[in-house]
Amino acid sequence: MSALDHRGCSITGATPGALAAYERALTAFQGWRTGVDAELATALREAPDFVMPHVLRAYQLICSRDPRQVRKAHPVLARAATLTANPREQLHLAAIAAALADDYEGAKTRLGELLGEHPRDALALQVAHTFDHVTGDEAHMRHRVASVLPAWSADLPGYHTILSMHAFSLEESGEYAHAQDVALAALELDPDDARAHHAMAHIFEMTEQADAGVRWMRRHIAAWSEGTVVATHCWWHLALFHLARAEWAHALAMYDQRVRAGHSMAITDLIDAAALLWRLDLHRTDLATRWAELAAAWAAHIDDGFCSFNDLHGALAFVGARDWGLAQRLERSLIDAQSRPTRHGIATRQLGLASCRAMMAFGHGDDSLAITLLASLPALAHRLGGSHAQRDVLHLTLREAVERVCAAACRWLQDA
């Protein structure tokens, strides 16, 4: 059974009711909203052989930074592979298979081929955009979204989220004024677009407009905090603005009441927690109990061997807690990982081990070693993945280490 989705892409196995549920799921996925799972379940009850709900479910899982979630996509792909699929859907399945084989570049290539033929495949664009982001491929991320824009228009469903992706890509490329114009255009179409508000947060962060950032995030708090999957991360952004204004108590309250309130074990939440607590710790706040709780949560991920960005934030937690046993376990795991011919092994050799050792040296007070290791990273740091705002933890730590060395030198000169 063949039909068209709401953007004119051919689909197989759908019924009208299943297609309607799938479109609601895709809308939620594009807009970083909750409710995807329930709509996919409805679609598959209506039409078990409808290919695209299986594809979307697999992408939900493989876009995670948690290898436990990623592995859950194997049976989803296996089921989808038994279905009749058109050539576009087959490219989706090939991209999923490549990602599950740890070949993210291969997955990006297949998605690029798909978008070359079907530039209005919103799901392919979103997943390719995500993979570009997590692999630190900033140039591809910007070009990929820009290249499909001529095929889109405001009368197509989800256009505002395409603009939001474009805005974020522009911001990560340093084109802040253009990024803001595009984000505002997205918000003209949908004032509740959480992705556009997230892009605005990054723009304010990178242009050092903390006051404007606080005003914006608080004015639009319902849009990004209610019914979204990005609420914790946006609270993190708001906390960064308070840190920039030297409002340490406000930032710490946000850690306790928003970022870490439920002691979430989701990797994305653990990353935000470690990144915020480390920044607070640079300002000498007493955080021992908080660090201990967070380090315990991160301990389960020491041997993940999946993502250097995760490893770095795990190292922050272990160093912050002064749990040198866990820190050493992570270091040993990375020493083993760097010899493997995997995506994680390559990243560990290039960046992961050095960045984690830098944080450990910093925690031990070996500022000279921390400076040496951190200074060797900037040319490749984007390959860790994450945003400029997230990777800024490397620069902040380097700056603090330099300041500590300078202060020690001044004291030595005064005492001489």
Side-chain angles (χ1 to χ4, degrees), residues 199-281:
M200 291 296 294
H202 275 272
I203 292 163
F204 290 131
E205 175 70 21
M206 298 308 295
T207 55
E208 299 182 342
Q209 299 182 72
D211 292 344
V214 168
R215 289 195 298 272
W216 182 277
M217 298 301 281
R218 291 201 174 278
R219 186 182 310 134
H220 301 286
I221 195 167
W224 54 260
S225 71
E226 297 177 6
T228 75
V229 298
V230 75
T232 297
H233 184 62
C234 285
W235 284 114
W236 177 83
H237 274 287
L238 182 53
L240 292 196
F241 293 135
H242 285 297
L243 284 177
R245 302 200 316 181
E247 296 171 346
W248 324 125
H250 280 80
L252 185 59
M254 255 165 227
Y255 179 90
D256 290 336
Q257 298 168 16
R258 301 294 183 178
V259 174
R260 204 68 196 131
H263 292 177
S264 167
M265 296 299 288
I267 282 279
T268 52
D269 294 341
L270 294 177
I271 288 169
D272 285 334
L276 177 55
L277 212 55
W278 186 268
R279 285 165 170 81
L280 281 161
D281 214 347

Side-chain angles (χ1 to χ4, degrees), residues 6 37 93 98 103 117 163 200 231 252-253 271 284 295 297 305 363 385 391:
H6 291 181
D37 291 340
L93 297 178
D103 182 11
E117 297 178 19
L163 292 179
M200 291 296 294
L252 185 59
I271 288 169
R284 309 294 188 271
R391 294 192 304 272

Side-chain angles (χ1 to χ4, degrees), residues 31-49:
W32 290 352
R33 295 277 158 185
T34 58
V36 176
D37 291 340
E39 296 295 352
L40 288 180
T42 298
L44 290 172
R45 278 197 306 271
E46 290 273 333
D49 294 341

Side-chain angles (χ1 to χ4, degrees), residues 73 81 158 162 198 204 210 212 238 251 310 316 327 391 404 410-411 413:
I162 308 302
H198 173 251
F204 290 131
L238 182 53
N310 294 3
L316 298 183
R391 294 192 304 272
R404 292 195 324 198
C410 289
R411 287 194 298 272
L413 289 171

Side-chain angles (χ1 to χ4, degrees), residues 1 18 84 91 94-95 106 121 140-141 152 164 169 181 192 195 228 258 270 272 292 298 308 321 354 366 392 412:
M1 182 183 311
T84 300
L91 276 172
D121 189 322
H140 234 136
M141 182 168 67
W152 283 81
S164 296
S169 300
D181 289 343
D192 292 330
R195 300 185 75 146
T228 75
R258 301 294 183 178
L270 294 177
D272 285 334
W298 268 107
S308 291
D366 190 346
D392 192 43
W412 183 83

